[in-house]
Amino acid sequence: MKLALSLRPVALASLLLAGGAVLAQPATYKIAYIDPLSGPFANVGELMLAHTRYAIDDINARGGLPGGQKMQLLQFDSKLSAQESQSALQAAIDQGARAIVTGGSGSSVVAALVQAVNRWNERNPGKELLVLNHSSIDPDLTGKSCSFWHFQTDANTAMKMKAIANYIKKTPDVKKVYLLNQDYAHGKQWASYGRQMVGLARPDVQFVGEALHPIGRVKDFSPYLANIKQSGADSVITGNWGQDMTLLLKAAGDAGYNLRYFNHSAGSVPGTVLAVSQARMGQLTWVAEWHPGQADVPKVDALAKAYKAKTQKDFLAPRIEMTPRILAAAIVKAGSTDASKIAKAMEDLTFESVVGPVRMRAEDHQLLLPQVVNTIAPVDGKAVKVGWEGTTYGFRTDAVYTGNELAQGTECKMVRPAQ
């Protein structure tokens, strides 16, 4: 069943009591945003919040949910901590939240949040919550640790690395690779999949070193760069994002070290293009459902223009903006705001998004959506036509893959609630 991206306005009839009094407006459907709004990754959290808020405001402006019910966004600071996220979850529950939107706190934090929701739902039948995860992409979240209540709206690590490996297969100048990643679940996953998938695609590639570093705590990456240089690497597979990516690029530029970087989503984070332009060397290749300046995507272009006009900010992540829309489409399909019914309606939902049709796979709740391999590069008027972040650097499309082309098998054994 396909449902349009924008929900049509629902005509509301005036409901009168026998005595002529007007009934109260329907209660709001509350969505809790839980992600970092302070600390080293606050800019990432604010970006994701802005995308989420834009979609919810637009859904409400178009009539809201069936029966005239409106979505209400509550916001909480995860502080990049599993403990703080669970405290935020309890506060969200106390305020009547029915769904959680998250993803920017790292896979370890999101996994703990999903586990807490699982416990709550088991103990509170009829008051269940849903978790919509737009950016934490550890395959375990839709694999061996999958949950009926959790839905992932970004391609997972394995899917993104498959796209990168396919690209590296056709890039002969990548010969010696160093693995540098943040020391948490997803950083380790990115390194592991990089070694496996790139090694399979290019058996001739040498992996010349590997290191993990504390997430969000390294202020100077010079010592790590010295080790990479000593290894003779020409490329780095790194899952770094936010401050950890920009500081790595700065250290490499200061050292005059011209490296290729292969990453999952860093290019979409504010400051990354600026850091590449200031380093004036190095090539950062990353993968996402879309990149700014991409050709032949008129629906995204229109959305990006409308978003900029309303928020005065650049649009960067269609998957985050579409996450509340997928939820709303599932509510329409279910004809209910009951969490169990919404979850069942979301399974195998095909949704007409701005990047084309996407499908929520029922067996593991992994969204299948296109992925674009692209590289931050100087504007040349041909492959890169538009500069970004006030620089003369933008994004070059290298390869495009469908969700089905990148889909992986799953270890998920979904446990569904009794009928």
Side-chain angles (χ1 to χ4, degrees):
M1 177 179 181
K2 293 187 177 182
L3 293 167
L5 173 68
S6 299
L7 297 176
R8 294 184 178 278
V10 180
L12 300 180
S14 297
L15 299 177
L16 302 178
L17 292 172
V22 178
L23 287 175
Q25 289 295 314
T28 57
Y29 182 88
K30 296 182 179 180
I31 299 171
Y33 173 91
I34 302 177
D35 262 331
L37 296 173
S38 62
F41 299 107
N43 65 328
V44 178
E46 292 288 353
L47 167 73
M48 294 172 170
L49 175 60
H51 281 61
T52 303
R53 182 186 293 117
Y54 178 87
I56 290 174
D57 287 348
D58 187 61
I59 290 167
N60 287 338
R62 293 173 183 269
L65 302 174
Q69 192 174 42
K70 302 292 187 180
M71 287 182 161
Q72 180 182 349
L73 183 63
L74 310 173
Q75 62 187 65
F76 301 90
D77 184 3
S78 73
K79 300 181 182 178
L80 213 69
S81 158
Q83 184 175 354
E84 290 287 346
S85 290
Q86 290 177 70
S87 296
L89 172 63
Q90 186 57 58
I93 291 170
D94 291 344
Q95 293 181 38
R98 305 295 303 279
I100 308 298
V101 171
T102 188
S105 296
S107 296
S108 299
V109 175
V110 172
L113 192 55
V114 173
Q115 291 167 11
V117 167
N118 288 342
R119 291 191 295 269
W120 166 265
N121 289 354
E122 184 177 354
R123 296 168 184 167
N124 297 274
K127 298 181 180 180
E128 293 91 351
L129 292 144
L130 297 170
V131 179
L132 287 87
N133 164 23
H134 53 65
S135 297
S136 287
I137 56 177
D138 184 340
D140 281 353
L141 287 164
T142 50
K144 62 185 180 182
S145 299
C146 67
S147 165
F148 175 75
W149 307 106
H150 167 262
F151 292 85
Q152 188 158 298
T153 58
D154 193 6
N156 68 28
T157 306
M159 296 166 71
K160 287 177 178 287
M161 186 56 76
K162 184 176 180 180
I164 292 287
N166 288 348
Y167 175 67
I168 291 177
K169 187 175 183 178
K170 303 174 184 177
T171 312
D173 59 331
V174 176
K175 298 176 180 178
K176 295 185 177 181
V177 175
Y178 195 98
L179 302 163
L180 178 66
N181 289 279
Q182 295 156 319
D183 190 6
Y184 77 117
H186 180 253
K188 295 174 183 177
Q189 286 277 12
W190 190 247
S192 176
Y193 279 108
R195 187 181 288 276
Q196 294 172 32
M197 292 186 172
V198 173
L200 184 63
R202 285 278 307 280
D204 59 307
V205 164
Q206 298 179 47
F207 292 93
V208 295
E210 183 170 1
L212 296 170
H213 65 80
I215 182 171
R217 286 196 253 156
V218 178
K219 303 302 181 185
D220 181 6
F221 278 88
S222 297
Y224 295 96
L225 264 299
N227 291 335
I228 295 172
K229 190 169 186 177
Q230 187 176 16
S231 75
D234 55 65
S235 303
V236 177
I237 288 177
T238 177
N240 283 19
W241 51 278
Q243 172 182 289
D244 286 343
M245 189 73 238
T246 56
L247 291 178
L248 173 60
L249 292 167
K250 180 182 184 301
D254 291 345
Y257 198 9
N258 193 22
L259 285 164
R260 298 196 66 145
Y261 306 90
F262 294 99
N263 183 270
H264 49 85
S265 57
S268 66
V269 176
T272 306
V273 175
L274 179 61
V276 172
S277 71
Q278 290 174 338
R280 295 193 175 278
M281 59 180 62
Q283 298 182 64
L284 173 58
T285 298
W286 61 292
V287 59
E289 69 278 6
W290 168 83
H291 68 75
Q294 185 177 332
D296 303 320
V297 283
K299 290 183 179 179
V300 188
D301 292 341
L303 175 57
K305 184 177 180 180
Y307 179 89
K308 182 69 176 281
K310 181 174 181 180
T311 68
Q312 309 306 311
K313 297 177 182 178
D314 291 321
F315 182 76
L316 290 171
R319 72 179 185 279
I320 301 176
E321 199 273 348
M322 78 171 72
T323 295
R325 297 185 188 274
I326 291 175
L327 173 61
I331 291 172
V332 171
K333 181 181 174 183
S336 172
T337 54
D338 176 81
S340 180
K341 292 179 180 178
I342 296 170
K344 290 172 183 175
M346 206 178 301
E347 293 186 328
D348 271 334
L349 175 69
T350 296
F351 181 79
E352 294 293 340
S353 81
V354 292
V355 297
V358 299
R359 181 173 67 88
M360 182 62 73
R361 197 162 64 174
E363 56 261 43
D364 58 356
H365 296 183
Q366 168 65 60
L367 191 68
L368 300 181
L369 71 170
Q371 294 293 286
V372 184
V373 178
N374 65 102
T375 299
I376 298 173
V379 173
D380 60 7
K382 298 177 182 178
V384 185
K385 296 182 179 180
V386 180
W388 202 250
E389 294 189 337
T391 76
T392 56
Y393 282 67
F395 303 90
R396 181 189 72 225
T397 299
D398 296 319
V400 181
Y401 302 98
T402 67
N404 286 333
E405 286 178 301
L406 301 176
Q408 308 283 307
T410 179
E411 296 179 68
C412 175
K413 299 187 185 301
M414 189 69 70
V415 177
R416 292 176 169 81
Q419 296 292 334

